[in-house]
């Protein structure tokens, strides 16, 4: 194979024999051991290297082709990535699954045992981080030249354990054994400054940082499916300068003092913030954000310069997507690089900056809109604060000239909130410094532009777009559900649906085929049996997502208690159900942790009660993550998407479950609306207030106790919780519902319980249920992240594919 400068690369073979040979040589030469003495970990690492080599070869070809064509690059900046386990994915994408299985068996290893050693890098909290991973998968699959930038946290999202039903957080040292998928590049470090002051020299501002930290990159390969393209995700790790180790103090026995500076520097990438609503460790988090931005922009500029010399081309060669506001400091940082370091004039730099960046917003919760205290930002990044003030001056001038005399509007739109505390508003900065801002589902974009970002939409209506989220069909159908995938492919007669998910529509015709329906039922049943969390014949009712009051796990729990009370009263007429919860709560979010504790208490009571046996079971496997999601999703019959309408930006679990043939019970929130529009109202269990009704109720004098008094079953369920029937924690959960019920759980309870009775009725007609299940899959092709990326390309990035010859 010919690479750049006429350099040849020998191709690695993929026959079982060639693969085994390469595995053996990796075992000897890279792992330093022999077949006779190899441990399972040796086998895993060797296998990973052998697979990685196949992808690295494609990577080399991709890099050469992309360099050659000097394209517009898509750079995805995200503080979080939930990439999921790498082994199975890379085996599939490199077409080596079979060869690998044979090679392992030939060496005396069981493939499943080796696969179980593959630890997922949990470098994210939830939907936002997983979306980033799905988009990278689709970018590579669509041959778009792209790089993801992120932080290589030493400790990922905490490992969740339950102790007496309570959530306990344990550190996730995911790379303790080393990470065979990574390519560290310690020779490629960037230098990042913090603190210090700003000087002026020859009319130019010069920031003199007071502290300097190194950013060491390493990258993971991001292969496309069904193509040669292999992109990368580049993760930065903070390293201290050698000079920060104080040898004199160490020699004097002052060990802690000797390393304190180094520790402080390296703390920047020590741990992912698992807190997804409250403000904790504020300054360290701000440091993380600037660290990501500074390292990544330097790298982006270096890459630009490989093929270009004229700054004017920068915006047309570079599209940088800001994944929520976490990387928004990139806007003032690029201004600083262009104006202070490169000497461009302000207006020229501003137009390049605006051309380069775009921003995705992932929330509607006002408390999740990021702000930073002006004092803190000014101390940590003095020059950036000056630049933010200058950007603000330009913004406010534009607002005043468009809306003369509208002082309130100026105050609302300012990048600086003045009272009660002076804060920099990152979302306002994001909208101001970009070409496009997008929401992540139709309703979300509509609500963003009419509420949270309304003033900005008034000023610049054409700068807003919607891009509905999507998920990777490779990971969440093909890898998660080999059974369903094989059935889909045999039903359709091809597997092209894996790269064109709209082809799933071909399954509609098969709903009339009794044998296909039978096979479909069987596949779902065996996924449940494989999961092993309840009778495979029972309805598998699944709620998997982060714990948050707006998502309303408490509503699901009230339903469980109502069913249990019906059982105890001898009046249960529902179908056998397993209710499965999965998810983590932010460590500081006590109300969410109380709900977890209460679910575990209810599970213990229900599961131990012979009266409930065969009728109701509650499962709550700990430590929900991508690995576990891939086991649960194919087994689900019912998908719980029950947030208070107007709160869930989109949801992506809803899409994964629909694609796997689960029927949704849900509110008209986020992407549920688009799912229902596509799968059909008859194949979706709708309940509850819609967003306008919820908003209206919230803004009036809402009395949750009215619902308590009016509904006997609701009252009985709440009384049981309150009285301590499921332990002391019930008191707090009940009080929060009865006194405030911020997310209208009680208002939606009756409608929800009735809709669940509809679910039972539908489940009783298994043949019809199966038809609905197939229709859900058949009509969900829109929710592929390939479609999402195509929308980003058309509406926002305007980048084109570079095909790498096969
Ligand atoms: C999620 N946000 C949305 N944030 O809640 C969900 O509706 C949407 O589908 C998904 O993004 C993808 O667009 C989300 O996951 C976080 O995890 C943040 C982590 C950092 C702190 C603030 C929340």
């Amino acid at each position: 194979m010919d690479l750049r400068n006429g350099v040849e690369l020998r191709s690695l073979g993929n026959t079982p024999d060639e693969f085994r040979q390469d595995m053996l040589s990796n075992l000897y030469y890279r792992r330093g051991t022999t077949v006779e003495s190899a441990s399972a970990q040796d086998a895993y690492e060797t296998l990973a290297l052998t697979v990685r080599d196949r992808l690295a070869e494609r990577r080399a070809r991709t890099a050469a082709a992309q360099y050659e064509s000097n394209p517009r690059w898509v750079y995805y900046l995200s503080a979080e990535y939930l990439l999921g386990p790498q082994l199975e994915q890379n085996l599939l994408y490199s077409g080596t699954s079979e060869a690998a299985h044979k090679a392992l068996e030939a060496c005396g290893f069981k493939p499943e045992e080796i696969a179980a050693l593959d630890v997922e890098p949990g470098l994210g909290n939830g939907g936002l981080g997983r979306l980033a991973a799905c988009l990278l998968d689709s970018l590579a699959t669509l041959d778009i030249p792209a790089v993801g930038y992120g932080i290589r946290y030493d400790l990922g999202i905490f490992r969740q354990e339950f102790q007496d039903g309570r959530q306990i957080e344990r550190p996730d040292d995911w790379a303790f054994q080393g990470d065979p998928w990574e390519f560290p590049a310690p020779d490629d470090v960037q230098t990042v400054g913090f603190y210090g002051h700003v000087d002026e020299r020859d009319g130019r501002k010069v920031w003199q940082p007071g502290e300097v930290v190194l950013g060491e990159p390493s990258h993971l390969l991001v292969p496309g499916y069904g193509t040669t393209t292999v992109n990368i995700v580049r993760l930065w790790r903070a390293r201290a300068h050698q000079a920060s180790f104080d040898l004199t103090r160490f020699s004097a026995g002052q060990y802690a003092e000797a390393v304190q500076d180094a520790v402080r520097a390296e703390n920047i990438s020590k741990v992912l913030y698992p807190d997804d609503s409250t403000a904790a460790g504020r300054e360290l988090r701000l440091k993380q954000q600037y660290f990501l931005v500074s390292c990544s922009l330097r790298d982006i500029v270096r890459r630009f310069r490989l093929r270009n010399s004229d700054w004017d081309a920068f915006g047309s060669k570079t599209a940088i997507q800001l994944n929520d506001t976490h990387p928004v400091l990139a806007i003032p940082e690029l201004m600083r690089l262009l104006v202070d370091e490169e000497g461009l004039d302000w207006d020229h730099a501003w137009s390049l900056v605006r051309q380069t960046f775009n921003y995705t917003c992932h929330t509607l919760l006002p408390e999740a809109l990021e702000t930073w205290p002006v004092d803190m930002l000014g101390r940590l990044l003095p020059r950036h604060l000056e630049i933010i003030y200058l950007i603000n001056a330009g913004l406010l001038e534009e607002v005043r000239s468009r809306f003369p005399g509208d002082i309130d509007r100026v105050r609302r739109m300012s990048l600086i909130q003045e009272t009660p505390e002076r804060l920099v508003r990152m979302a306002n900065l994001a909208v101001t410094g970009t070409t496009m801002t997008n929401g992540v589902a139709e309703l979300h974009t509509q609500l963003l532009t009419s509420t949270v970002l309304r003033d900005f939409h008034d000023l610049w209506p054409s700068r807003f777009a919607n891009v509905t989220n999507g998920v990777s069909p490779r990971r969440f159908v093909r890898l998660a559900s080999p059974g369903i995938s094989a059935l889909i492919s045999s039903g359709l007669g091809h597997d092209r649906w894996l790269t064109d998910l709209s082809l799933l529509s071909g399954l509609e015709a098969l709903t009339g085929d009794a044998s296909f329906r039978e096979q479909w039922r069987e596949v779902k049943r065996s996924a449940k049996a494989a999961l092993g969390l309840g009778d495979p014949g029972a309805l598998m009712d699944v709620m998997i997502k982060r714990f948050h009051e707006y998502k309303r796990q408490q509503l699901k729990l009230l339903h469980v208690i109502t069913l249990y009370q019906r059982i105890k009263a001898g009046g249960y007429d529902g179908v056998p159900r397993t209710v499965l919860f999965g998810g983590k709560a932010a460590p500081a979010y006590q109300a969410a942790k109380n709900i977890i504790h209460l679910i575990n208490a209810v599970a213990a009571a229900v599961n131990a009660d012979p009266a409930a046996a065969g009728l109701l079971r509650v499962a709550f496997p700990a430590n929900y993550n991508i690995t576990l999601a891939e086991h649960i999703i194919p087994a689900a019959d019912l998908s719980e998407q029950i947030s208070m309408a107007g709160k869930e930006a989109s949801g992506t679990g809803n899409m994964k479950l629909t694609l796997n043939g689960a029927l949704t019970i849900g509110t008209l929130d986020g992407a549920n609306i688009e799912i229902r529009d596509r799968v059909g109202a008859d194949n979706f269990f709708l309940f509850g207030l819609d967003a306008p009704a919820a908003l209206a109720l919230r803004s009036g004098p809402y009395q949750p106790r009215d619902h308590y008094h009016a509904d006997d079953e609701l009252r009985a369920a709440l009384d049981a919780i309150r009285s301590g029937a499921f332990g002391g924690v019930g008191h707090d959960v009940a009080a929060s519902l009865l006194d405030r019920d911020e997310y209208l759980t009680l208002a939606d309870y009756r409608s929800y319980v009735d809709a669940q009775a509809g679910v039972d009725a539908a489940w009783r007609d298994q043949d019809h249920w199966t038809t609905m299940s197939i229709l859900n899959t058949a009509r969900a092709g829109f929710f592929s992240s390939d479609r999402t990326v195509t929308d980003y390309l058309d509406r926002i990035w305007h980048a084109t594919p570079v095909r790498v010859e096969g």
Side-chain angles (χ1 to χ4, degrees):
M1 179 196 352
D2 203 5
L3 285 173
R4 243 195 283 159
N5 306 328
V7 176
E8 292 276 328
L9 184 66
R10 178 178 68 85
S11 284
L12 298 172
N14 270 359
T15 67
D17 221 34
E18 291 165 321
F19 193 90
R20 189 165 36 85
Q21 282 302 324
D22 287 343
M23 239 182 98
L24 281 181
S25 73
N26 283 331
L27 188 68
Y28 280 80
Y29 301 127
R30 287 154 90 179
R31 192 70 187 163
T33 187
T34 61
V35 180
E36 292 68 33
S37 51
S39 65
Q41 188 67 30
D42 289 323
Y44 163 70
E45 304 247 349
T46 304
L47 174 62
L49 292 173
T50 311
V51 177
R52 196 185 76 166
D53 287 347
R54 267 80 195 151
L55 295 176
E57 182 186 74
R58 291 189 189 174
R59 168 66 199 156
R61 280 194 267 164
T62 305
Q66 292 175 340
Y67 176 89
E68 186 60 36
S69 86
N70 190 16
R72 182 171 213 219
W73 284 85
V74 174
Y75 295 116
Y76 202 79
L77 251 66
S78 178
E80 304 195 4
Y81 290 91
L82 280 173
L83 296 168
Q86 296 290 289
L87 177 63
E88 296 284 358
Q89 169 194 284
N90 289 341
L91 285 168
L92 174 71
Y93 285 45
S94 62
T96 52
S97 298
E98 216 187 302
H101 279 219
K102 286 189 179 146
L104 284 174
E105 278 163 357
C107 300
F109 290 101
K110 292 210 175 77
E112 327 72 77
E113 284 173 16
I114 300 306
L117 297 175
D118 192 42
V119 180
E120 70 169 269
L123 309 181
N125 274 292
L128 169 153
R130 181 55 227 179
L131 180 76
C134 283
L135 295 183
L136 294 187
D137 175 298
S138 289
L139 279 161
T141 298
L142 294 169
D143 297 315
I144 302 300
V147 177
Y149 284 101
I151 300 176
R152 190 194 178 288
Y153 304 102
D154 292 346
L155 304 176
I157 179 75
F158 62 86
R159 207 157 40 75
Q160 179 192 54
E161 287 177 9
F162 297 136
Q163 225 170 58
D164 301 325
R166 285 190 190 84
Q167 172 177 293
I168 305 290
E169 301 93 25
R170 304 268 182 227
D172 167 44
D173 196 352
W174 63 280
F176 183 77
Q177 306 261 15
D179 176 16
W181 303 107
E182 267 179 83
F183 293 90
D187 52 332
D188 230 357
V189 289
Q190 303 290 358
T191 303
V192 183
F194 296 102
Y195 307 106
H197 62 276
V198 180
D199 287 340
E200 196 160 335
R201 227 178 282 146
D202 309 326
R204 270 205 215 172
K205 298 279 189 166
V206 182
W207 174 30
Q208 307 283 5
E211 181 182 316
V212 162
V213 173
L214 301 177
E216 177 188 306
S218 66
H219 66 262
L220 274 81
L221 301 178
V222 180
Y225 183 80
T227 173
T228 308
T229 298
V230 175
N231 286 332
I232 59 168
V233 56
R234 196 150 223 225
L235 304 176
W236 301 98
R237 179 181 191 184
R239 302 294 304 266
H241 261 295
Q242 280 183 40
S244 50
F245 180 78
D246 192 331
L247 194 54
T248 315
R249 288 186 126 163
F250 194 86
S251 308
Q254 298 171 337
Y255 304 122
E257 294 84 348
V259 295
Q260 71 190 13
D261 287 351
V263 168
R264 197 181 49 209
E266 300 193 350
N267 272 346
I268 291 176
S269 58
K270 188 54 83 186
V271 50
L272 165 82
Y273 277 94
D275 214 308
D276 76 353
S277 52
T278 54
R282 300 286 287 168
E283 184 174 291
L284 186 52
R285 178 138 191 186
L286 184 59
K287 272 185 145 177
Q288 284 188 332
Q289 296 188 352
Y290 180 65
F291 173 75
L292 164 65
V293 152
S294 168
C295 294
S296 307
L297 276 181
R298 291 236 184 250
D299 201 52
I300 289 168
V301 167
R302 175 188 65 78
R303 295 166 53 88
F304 171 73
R305 287 201 165 126
L306 293 175
R307 293 301 311 269
N308 309 278
S309 48
D310 183 358
W311 279 113
D312 278 340
F314 188 75
S316 61
K317 292 291 183 190
T318 315
I320 303 181
Q321 193 65 28
L322 303 171
N323 196 24
D324 218 286
T325 50
H326 320 134
V328 162
L329 286 169
I331 292 168
E333 172 69 355
L334 186 57
M335 284 303 285
R336 190 185 70 78
L337 293 177
L338 294 177
V339 175
D340 297 356
E341 297 195 2
E342 299 295 327
L344 269 63
D345 73 53
W346 178 273
D347 291 343
H348 186 192
W350 183 241
S351 97
L352 290 177
V353 164
R354 279 225 25 241
Q355 210 188 333
T356 299
F357 289 112
N358 297 289
Y359 158 55
T360 304
C361 176
H362 294 267
T363 192
L364 278 164
L365 305 182
E367 67 270 26
L369 288 182
E370 254 192 327
T371 54
W372 292 106
V374 168
D375 291 347
M376 186 197 291
L377 202 147
R379 202 166 10 89
L380 189 69
L381 300 166
R383 178 57 181 151
H384 296 78
L385 184 62
E386 288 180 8
I387 291 172
I388 290 170
Y389 281 141
L390 290 169
I391 296 172
N392 200 32
L395 165 69
L396 298 187
E397 190 184 305
E398 192 172 341
V399 178
R400 286 195 191 96
S401 82
R402 261 295 299 283
F403 303 97
D406 194 343
I407 307 289
D408 274 349
R409 186 183 292 265
V410 170
R411 209 171 282 140
R412 290 194 304 265
M413 293 182 75
S414 172
L415 303 186
I416 312 292
Q417 172 193 301
E418 295 293 342
T419 54
E421 200 191 341
R422 299 197 70 224
L423 299 171
V424 181
R425 295 164 165 153
M426 301 309 274
N428 295 21
L429 176 55
V431 179
T432 305
T434 53
T435 302
M436 295 297 284
T437 292
N438 76 284
V440 290
E442 295 282 357
L443 175 70
H444 176 233
T445 302
Q446 205 178 300
L447 291 172
L448 265 188
T449 53
S450 61
T451 60
V452 196
L453 298 177
R454 183 193 181 130
D455 293 319
F456 287 92
H457 185 254
D458 287 349
L459 184 62
W460 302 312
S462 62
R463 288 211 216 164
F464 289 83
N466 177 61
V467 182
T468 297
N469 285 341
V471 303
S472 163
R474 274 76 63 183
R475 184 171 288 275
F476 290 105
V477 186
R478 176 63 187 80
L479 288 168
S481 315
I484 292 182
S485 298
L487 183 55
I488 293 174
S489 297
S490 87
L492 295 178
H494 61 76
D495 63 4
R496 294 194 309 279
W497 58 276
L498 282 168
T499 47
D500 178 359
L501 207 59
S502 67
L503 295 175
L504 288 180
S505 63
L507 295 173
E508 283 213 27
L510 294 167
T511 53
D513 176 340
S515 116
F516 188 79
R517 290 198 304 274
E518 184 52 43
Q519 293 176 63
W520 189 270
R521 241 187 325 273
E522 194 39 49
V523 156
K524 294 293 300 181
R525 207 190 151 86
S526 42
K528 283 189 265 187
L531 181 62
L533 290 173
D535 170 13
L539 177 115
M540 178 61 82
D541 175 350
V542 167
M543 185 158 190
I544 40 176
K545 50 187 80 248
R546 281 299 283 248
F547 271 77
H548 201 295
E549 287 164 288
Y550 84 78
K551 296 180 188 272
R552 301 200 296 192
Q553 279 92 354
Q554 63 277 29
L555 178 57
K556 175 75 259 175
L557 186 62
L558 285 172
H559 175 237
V560 169
I561 295 171
T562 295
L563 296 183
Y564 184 49
Q565 291 180 328
R566 287 181 188 169
I567 291 171
K568 296 301 273 180
Y572 186 70
D573 59 357
V575 301
R577 280 192 194 230
T578 303
V579 177
L580 187 156
F581 291 91
K584 298 175 182 177
Y589 189 177
Q590 195 53 49
K593 292 175 98 169
N594 289 344
I595 295 169
I596 288 182
H597 189 179
L598 185 60
I599 291 173
N600 278 321
V602 170
V606 169
N607 298 343
D609 190 338
L615 295 177
L616 181 64
R617 191 179 169 79
V618 182
F620 193 168
N623 201 37
Y624 178 67
N625 59 8
I626 308 293
T627 308
L628 189 53
E630 289 182 33
H631 288 101
I632 295 171
I633 289 167
D637 295 309
L638 186 65
S639 159
E640 298 276 349
Q641 307 301 335
I642 62 178
S643 51
M644 173 183 147
K647 292 291 172 190
E648 189 68 86
S650 163
T652 46
N654 48 3
M655 301 168 184
K656 294 162 197 167
L657 288 157
T658 303
L659 278 166
N660 279 274
L663 274 62
T664 305
I665 183 163
T667 48
L668 287 176
D669 200 12
N672 297 352
I673 298 175
E674 290 158 76
I675 291 176
R676 182 169 172 269
D677 285 347
R678 288 186 165 78
V679 304
D682 292 346
N683 304 306
F684 185 108
F685 300 96
L686 179 68
F687 77 95
L689 300 164
D690 64 9
L695 186 69
L697 186 54
R698 274 274 66 186
S699 33
Y702 171 59
Q703 299 288 356
R705 277 173 200 270
D706 292 351
H707 296 281
Y708 169 84
H709 290 301
D711 191 313
D712 292 345
E713 284 195 317
L714 173 59
R715 193 168 57 252
L718 281 165
D719 284 348
I721 296 175
R722 196 156 61 145
S723 68
F726 307 106
V729 68
H731 183 266
D732 289 353
V733 176
S736 137
L737 289 172
L738 286 163
D739 298 342
R740 290 182 303 282
D741 193 15
E742 204 182 332
Y743 300 105
L744 306 177
T745 303
L746 304 198
D748 273 347
Y749 167 85
R750 181 44 53 190
S751 162
Y752 178 58
V753 170
D754 289 349
Q756 288 284 8
V759 170
D760 282 332
W763 180 255
R764 284 202 180 88
D765 183 349
Q766 276 290 295
D767 217 33
H768 184 56
W769 182 281
T770 306
T771 300
M772 293 196 289
S773 167
I774 298 170
L775 286 177
N776 265 265
T777 303
R779 296 175 177 174
F782 178 78
F783 301 103
S784 166
S785 48
D786 299 345
R787 189 272 314 149
T788 306
V789 162
T790 306
D791 286 350
Y792 274 105
L793 289 168
D794 291 346
R795 297 171 198 173
I796 297 179
W797 297 332
H798 311 294
T800 49
V802 172
R803 305 218 193 270
V804 186
E805 64 187 80

